Amino acid sequence: MAGYSKKYRYLFLGEQFDPSTHVIVTFYVESTGELERSVEAVAAESSIGTWTDTEGLSEDLFNRLSAKVFDLKKLDEKTAIIKIAYPLALFETDNIPQIFADVAGNVFGMREVKNLRVRDIELPESFVTANKGPAFGANGVRETLKIYDRPLLGTIIKPKVGLPTKEHARIAYEAWVGGVDIVKDDENLTDQDFNPFYERITRTLEARRKAEEETGEKKLYCPNISSRLSEMYPRAKFVAEMGGRAIMIDIVTVGFSGVQFIRDQQLGLIIHGHRAMHGAFTHSDRHGISMLFVAKMARLAGIDQLHTGTVVGKMEGTKEEVTKINNFLLGDWFGLKPTLPIASGGLHPGLLPELIGMLGKDVIINLGGGIHGHPGGVTQGAKAARQALDAVMKGVDLTEYSKDHKELAEAIEVWGAGSAKMEGEDKGGATYKHALVLSKGLDLA
Amino acid sequence: MAGYSKKYRYLFLGEQFDPSTHVIVTFYVESTGELERSVEAVAAESSIGTWTDTEGLSEDLFNRLSAKVFDLKKLDEKTAIIKIAYPLALFETDNIPQIFADVAGNVFGMREVKNLRVRDIELPESFVTANKGPAFGANGVRETLKIYDRPLLGTIIKPKVGLPTKEHARIAYEAWVGGVDIVKDDENLTDQDFNPFYERITRTLEARRKAEEETGEKKLYCPNISSRLSEMYPRAKFVAEMGGRAIMIDIVTVGFSGVQFIRDQQLGLIIHGHRAMHGAFTHSDRHGISMLFVAKMARLAGIDQLHTGTVVGKMEGTKEEVTKINNFLLGDWFGLKPTLPIASGGLHPGLLPELIGMLGKDVIINLGGGIHGHPGGVTQGAKAARQALDAVMKGVDLTEYSKDHKELAEAIEVWGAGSAKMEGEDKGGATYKHALVLSKGLDLA
């Protein structure tokens, strides 16, 4: 390797790097000047380099530790998709903040790049297995709920904030007895005066036990513990002490240092990962960090179930992107347990056929407004959602099924339904004949 | 307030909201459809609403807790600058992850917005004072170093990663004896095999004591403790036990939950805040979160010194933006101690006149490559930087000053210098007659 003395020191186009000793990162790069120099700047800044030669940077050190650009696909004069190989030695393999700082840190602010996006990261086996990953994983969540053959049905308590604690617990109870498996807090409900955390846990877990007795089903409550860690850890412990089975963390706003800490404590709690704020850096396809990258870090950190998008709901995310992320989370990754994807945001019963058709059955389907906005109330809304789920699993058209399921019929009356039918058995990728009526469902007023 | 039943329920244009009981957030919004509806979606999603009516959302609850858009300046048919008032009750005031989840959470991923940027946040006194803020602050840092009348001179050990521990400590020592006040680790150096954390602390603090004895000056070492918190906290405690006076945290990649935890421990350590990864969401002026917002959260969380930009270096950031952030950090904020801004990235001695002219003397000036890349080595590089600093403080032209300061002359030989002279005494905003030669300084090869 003669990179040290050549003109483009960090370019090793066409060379091979051992994937068992290198981290491979794919970037989209837009240059502000000469493309090759911008590409070099990315490799340098994210490994050992800076903008000038320095005393300590020997040829040996360069060869051992510099990042190396080994693939460059020009899209035009100034833009390219590149792959960079980072020697494993650059990383502290169980330190997720450090992984971000390495490959997704200073590089975004350099004058050499107009836009830059971290698209994907591939980690060697030794790197992945240095992390514990999910304690429960997708199968552990199913074991806890004793549900093996269908998507799990979740809900968020709506209105998202503002309900007094008793109301919160009551609505959770009503959702559970209606047929919901999982109740989660909203991402910005933590410990406000109108609904204090500790009282909420006590009352909502009481409601859960009551609903379990009445239905004979296991239920899950995912309270949002997100806070400064000095508060978050006591909150998590309290949930465990009170017989809770799960907690929710806003993984982006809390940060991975705190997420990893909670996972390290082995509290015996399923960790539900909310991704609020991700859109600040995943939104553009030309800049920032992809949700796939975040999902990989979340699985590494031990998130058991993670929001990844709905394709059809109120949040953005293409089918291709969401499917790719979900397939990664559920697939083999050097023995780490899989993470169960969550589809949440703007969903209602009428969207379930298309949703399950696209995402398959290994998913948590979260309906917030699509349950609580039901004209018959929360329990009826939960029934409608569960009926829609049952219909899809039986392969029955929703409108047909609603003929003798009045809660579903009422939901369809309010939000509409595609008269969609599954085409064949490929639930992971099936498409539907008829477009869904989205406009009414997205009406805010 | 009749918002609940009107067409645009969240619009209260022209109304006044009490700034002592509301959080005011300024957004830039680009609509994908009708501007007013997109604006409503932002207010709803970031407070109590969702995409449909729900059972629990009463008029009383709406009036008490909904976010309200009270200012809307249209830039064109689809874009606007808006101000939203959030009732204080929505927030847990000492929970920074929750603040992000509230006003900078789900809103970025909604289909209603093409782009959305959180530009600024104004917090009531009761909100701000619920937080401890910096333990040392700008004055505490100056007290520690006994330097009151000039910018502080910092350096990063370069190459940023890869040096063995002994070399790292030696280079730190050489920088300190050359006249540097503060040595910091790089943002992606944590605990790698080539330079293990605990050994690095021991050796580098030894080097600091030696340098202090020889120079009679106080010095600061800011080791990067960023990691999973289960590692980060022991690392911070070790630094304190070994006589360290400061730590560095990558505040974005670690996350504010961990940052607040470390501040809560009262370890008696100055916290140096690095902002690696911020560019993933601050880069675009049309989307994401502004650095000003991040800086406010950092001061709230207790960061004593924070990277905010150089204007003239390798990292982006306009003069207006950096000045605004620095003025906020140094200004009065309901009694919270000020945070000292850090200018870092691509700086060399020749840039100091312009830099200090723009940013004033209340700043840490960090030179990495601009010290370690000096042809005479690290100590000579540090001398050159300190000479440049002295020249600026004496109001002497750099080229003039370099005539009897050979280290500075050598630095100018390599990287160039503006023959700039300060115009008048207004160091906070003075401009210079001559442009600096930036191109050579930014040469990567």
Side-chain angles (χ1 to χ4, degrees):
Chain A
M1 273 189 234
Y4 188 67
S5 56
K6 65 188 185 179
K7 184 185 176 197
Y8 295 120
R9 196 184 281 185
Y10 294 85
L11 293 197
F12 294 78
L13 300 185
E15 292 196 25
Q16 298 289 320
F17 293 90
D18 182 353
S20 73
T21 56
H22 288 83
V23 170
I24 310 292
V25 181
T26 309
F27 292 91
Y28 164 85
V29 187
E30 273 176 42
S31 173
T32 48
E34 188 192 333
L35 183 60
E36 284 78 2
R37 296 183 70 78
S38 298
V39 164
E40 285 222 306
V42 173
E45 186 65 35
S46 59
S47 61
I48 58 171
T50 187
W51 54 273
T52 182
D53 280 337
T54 57
E55 185 197 326
L57 182 54
S58 67
E59 183 162 357
D60 168 64
L61 195 154
F62 178 88
N63 289 339
R64 275 189 298 118
L65 290 177
S66 76
K68 291 154 188 103
V69 184
F70 68 95
D71 194 28
L72 190 156
K73 282 191 183 62
K74 272 200 187 188
L75 303 177
D76 61 40
E77 210 49 46
K78 300 252 183 188
T79 63
I81 309 287
I82 62 168
K83 283 180 189 280
I84 299 184
Y86 295 85
L88 199 48
L90 289 170
F91 297 87
E92 191 186 347
T93 50
D94 62 352
N95 180 346
I96 295 178
Q98 198 263 346
I99 304 173
F100 276 95
D102 254 345
V103 306
N106 275 352
V107 288
F108 297 110
M110 295 187 303
R111 290 188 198 278
E112 281 85 358
V113 294
K114 189 174 170 198
N115 282 297
L116 179 73
R117 184 165 173 86
V118 179
R119 296 180 117 200
D120 197 3
I121 185 168
E122 291 160 71
L123 301 174
E125 178 168 9
S126 63
F127 196 127
V128 173
T129 55
N131 294 272
K132 288 191 281 283
F136 289 80
N139 298 332
V141 173
R142 286 195 176 280
E143 276 294 335
T144 303
L145 290 169
K146 312 285 176 208
I147 300 166
Y148 305 98
D149 54 357
R150 62 163 172 86
L152 304 177
L153 184 63
T155 193
I156 315 107
I157 301 299
K158 296 281 178 187
K160 54 200 296 173
V161 294
L163 285 181
T165 311
K166 271 189 190 174
E167 278 295 285
H168 179 104
R170 179 185 66 79
I171 290 186
Y173 165 79
E174 290 181 3
W176 278 317
V177 296
V180 156
D181 307 305
I182 302 171
V183 169
K184 68 176 269 289
D185 286 352
D186 223 284
E187 75 283 353
N188 46 14
L189 177 66
T190 54
D191 181 38
Q192 290 96 324
D193 287 343
F194 56 77
N195 190 355
F197 182 82
Y198 291 93
E199 191 192 338
R200 179 164 84 250
I201 299 308
T202 310
R203 287 191 188 273
T204 312
L205 289 177
E206 262 174 39
R208 194 203 73 195
R209 275 182 283 267
K210 190 155 172 269
E212 286 179 337
E213 276 174 31
E214 290 176 24
T215 60
E217 297 175 345
K218 290 279 180 192
K219 305 290 185 183
L220 215 56
Y221 172 44
C222 305
N224 182 13
I225 64 163
S226 303
S227 184
R228 58 201 301 134
L229 203 86
S230 347
E231 285 297 328
M232 192 160 96
Y233 179 47
R235 289 179 195 177
K237 276 200 298 188
F238 184 73
V239 172
E241 283 161 20
M242 295 300 288
R245 302 181 181 122
I247 45 177
M248 174 173 129
I249 303 178
D250 294 337
I251 63 172
V252 179
T253 69
V254 159
F256 278 96
S257 179
V259 173
Q260 290 195 286
F261 177 88
I262 294 294
R263 171 63 182 94
D264 287 341
Q265 304 314 305
Q266 316 248 29
L267 293 166
L269 297 168
I270 291 166
I271 306 178
H272 179 112
H274 197 284
R275 58 178 180 155
M277 196 183 123
H278 77 94
F281 54 82
T282 63
H283 173 76
S284 163
D285 54 9
R286 292 162 53 202
H287 190 76
I289 304 170
S290 72
M291 186 58 210
L292 177 62
F293 185 97
V294 176
K296 289 188 173 186
M297 295 303 114
R299 185 170 173 189
L300 215 53
I303 298 298
D304 296 291
Q305 47 197 52
L306 177 69
H307 290 250
T308 63
T310 63
V311 185
V312 297
K314 70 179 174 180
M315 298 296 173
E316 60 189 14
T318 64
K319 181 183 164 186
E320 187 193 346
E321 189 190 357
V322 176
T323 306
K324 191 172 181 182
I325 294 167
N326 290 6
N327 287 346
F328 163 77
L329 289 177
L330 292 164
D332 182 51
W333 204 27
F334 302 119
L336 249 61
K337 288 181 182 163
T339 297
L340 195 56
I342 304 163
S344 183
L347 297 178
H348 59 75
L351 295 172
L352 263 53
E354 188 179 13
L355 185 74
I356 299 171
M358 284 189 301
L359 303 182
K361 73 176 173 61
D362 282 325
V363 63
I364 297 171
I365 299 175
N366 246 333
L367 283 76
I371 282 181
H372 305 293
H374 191 283
V378 178
T379 298
Q380 310 301 304
K383 282 185 183 172
R386 184 76 172 264
Q387 288 161 4
L389 194 59
D390 291 344
V392 177
M393 296 314 291
K394 290 173 182 168
V396 180
D397 180 273
L398 276 202
T399 311
E400 186 61 34
Y401 201 74
S402 73
K403 285 177 185 164
D404 47 8
H405 292 88
K406 71 175 171 56
E407 293 85 2
L408 180 57
E410 285 168 355
I412 291 172
E413 177 69 24
V414 180
W415 295 303
S419 56
K421 228 176 208 169
M422 235 176 267
E423 293 182 322
E425 290 300 294
D426 178 18
K427 289 176 186 173
T431 54
Y432 291 83
K433 277 178 182 158
H434 307 279
L436 293 165
V437 184
L438 275 174
S439 56
K440 200 171 180 194
L442 286 170
D443 199 327
L444 270 156
Chain B
M1 271 189 235
Y4 189 66
S5 56
K6 65 185 185 181
K7 185 186 175 196
Y8 295 120
R9 194 183 281 183
Y10 294 86
L11 294 196
F12 294 80
L13 300 185
E15 292 197 25
Q16 298 289 320
F17 294 90
D18 182 352
S20 74
T21 57
H22 288 84
V23 170
I24 310 292
V25 181
T26 309
F27 293 91
Y28 165 86
V29 186
E30 273 176 43
S31 173
T32 48
E34 188 191 334
L35 183 60
E36 284 79 3
R37 296 183 70 79
S38 299
V39 164
E40 284 223 307
V42 173
E45 185 65 36
S46 60
S47 61
I48 58 169
T50 188
W51 55 273
T52 181
D53 279 338
T54 58
E55 185 197 326
L57 182 55
S58 67
E59 182 163 357
D60 167 63
L61 195 154
F62 179 88
N63 289 339
R64 276 190 297 116
L65 289 178
S66 77
K68 290 155 187 101
V69 184
F70 67 95
D71 195 29
L72 189 155
K73 282 193 181 65
K74 272 199 188 189
L75 303 178
D76 61 41
E77 212 46 48
K78 300 253 185 187
T79 64
I81 308 287
I82 62 169
K83 284 181 190 279
I84 300 184
Y86 296 84
L88 199 49
L90 289 171
F91 298 87
E92 191 186 346
T93 51
D94 62 350
N95 179 346
I96 294 177
Q98 199 263 347
I99 304 172
F100 276 95
D102 255 345
V103 306
N106 276 351
V107 287
F108 297 110
M110 296 187 303
R111 291 188 198 279
E112 281 84 358
V113 293
K114 188 174 171 197
N115 283 296
L116 180 72
R117 184 165 173 86
V118 179
R119 296 179 118 200
D120 198 3
I121 185 168
E122 290 160 71
L123 301 174
E125 178 168 9
S126 63
F127 196 129
V128 172
T129 55
N131 293 272
K132 289 191 281 281
F136 290 80
N139 298 332
V141 173
R142 286 194 176 282
E143 276 295 334
T144 304
L145 289 168
K146 312 285 175 209
I147 300 167
Y148 305 97
D149 54 356
R150 62 164 171 87
L152 303 178
L153 184 62
T155 193
I156 315 108
I157 301 299
K158 295 281 179 188
K160 53 199 296 172
V161 295
L163 284 181
T165 311
K166 271 190 189 173
E167 277 296 283
H168 180 103
R170 179 185 66 80
I171 290 184
Y173 165 79
E174 289 181 4
W176 277 317
V177 296
V180 157
D181 306 306
I182 301 170
V183 168
K184 69 176 267 289
D185 286 350
D186 223 283
E187 76 283 353
N188 46 13
L189 178 65
T190 54
D191 182 38
Q192 290 96 321
D193 286 344
F194 56 78
N195 190 354
F197 181 82
Y198 291 93
E199 190 191 339
R200 178 164 84 251
I201 299 307
T202 310
R203 287 191 188 274
T204 312
L205 288 177
E206 263 175 37
R208 194 203 74 195
R209 275 182 282 269
K210 190 157 171 264
E212 286 179 335
E213 277 175 30
E214 289 178 25
T215 60
E217 297 175 343
K218 289 280 179 193
K219 306 290 184 182
L220 215 56
Y221 172 45
C222 305
N224 183 13
I225 64 163
S226 303
S227 184
R228 57 199 304 133
L229 202 85
S230 347
E231 285 297 326
M232 193 160 93
Y233 180 47
R235 289 178 195 177
K237 277 201 298 189
F238 184 74
V239 172
E241 284 161 19
M242 296 299 288
R245 302 180 181 122
I247 47 177
M248 173 173 129
I249 303 179
D250 294 338
I251 62 171
V252 179
T253 69
V254 159
F256 278 98
S257 178
V259 172
Q260 288 195 287
F261 178 88
I262 294 294
R263 170 65 181 92
D264 287 342
Q265 305 314 307
Q266 315 251 29
L267 293 166
L269 297 168
I270 292 165
I271 306 179
H272 179 112
H274 198 283
R275 58 177 181 154
M277 197 182 122
H278 77 94
F281 54 82
T282 63
H283 174 75
S284 163
D285 53 9
R286 293 162 54 202
H287 190 76
I289 304 170
S290 72
M291 186 59 211
L292 178 62
F293 185 98
V294 176
K296 288 188 173 185
M297 295 303 115
R299 185 170 173 190
L300 214 54
I303 298 298
D304 296 292
Q305 47 196 50
L306 178 69
H307 290 250
T308 63
T310 63
V311 185
V312 297
K314 70 179 174 179
M315 297 296 173
E316 59 189 16
T318 65
K319 180 183 166 185
E320 187 193 348
E321 188 191 357
V322 176
T323 306
K324 192 172 181 182
I325 295 166
N326 290 4
N327 287 346
F328 163 77
L329 289 178
L330 292 164
D332 182 50
W333 204 29
F334 302 119
L336 249 61
K337 288 181 182 165
T339 297
L340 195 55
I342 305 163
S344 182
L347 296 178
H348 59 77
L351 295 172
L352 263 51
E354 190 179 13
L355 186 74
I356 299 170
M358 284 188 300
L359 303 183
K361 73 177 173 62
D362 282 325
V363 63
I364 297 172
I365 300 175
N366 245 333
L367 283 75
I371 282 181
H372 305 293
H374 191 282
V378 178
T379 299
Q380 309 301 306
K383 282 186 182 171
R386 183 76 172 263
Q387 288 161 3
L389 195 58
D390 291 344
V392 177
M393 296 313 292
K394 289 174 183 167
V396 180
D397 179 275
L398 277 201
T399 312
E400 187 61 36
Y401 202 73
S402 74
K403 285 178 183 162
D404 47 8
H405 293 88
K406 72 176 171 55
E407 294 84 3
L408 180 57
E410 284 168 354
I412 291 172
E413 177 68 24
V414 180
W415 296 302
S419 56
K421 228 175 206 169
M422 237 176 267
E423 292 181 325
E425 290 300 296
D426 178 16
K427 289 177 185 173
T431 54
Y432 291 85
K433 277 178 182 160
H434 307 282
L436 293 165
V437 184
L438 276 174
S439 57
K440 200 172 178 191
L442 286 170
D443 198 327
L444 271 156

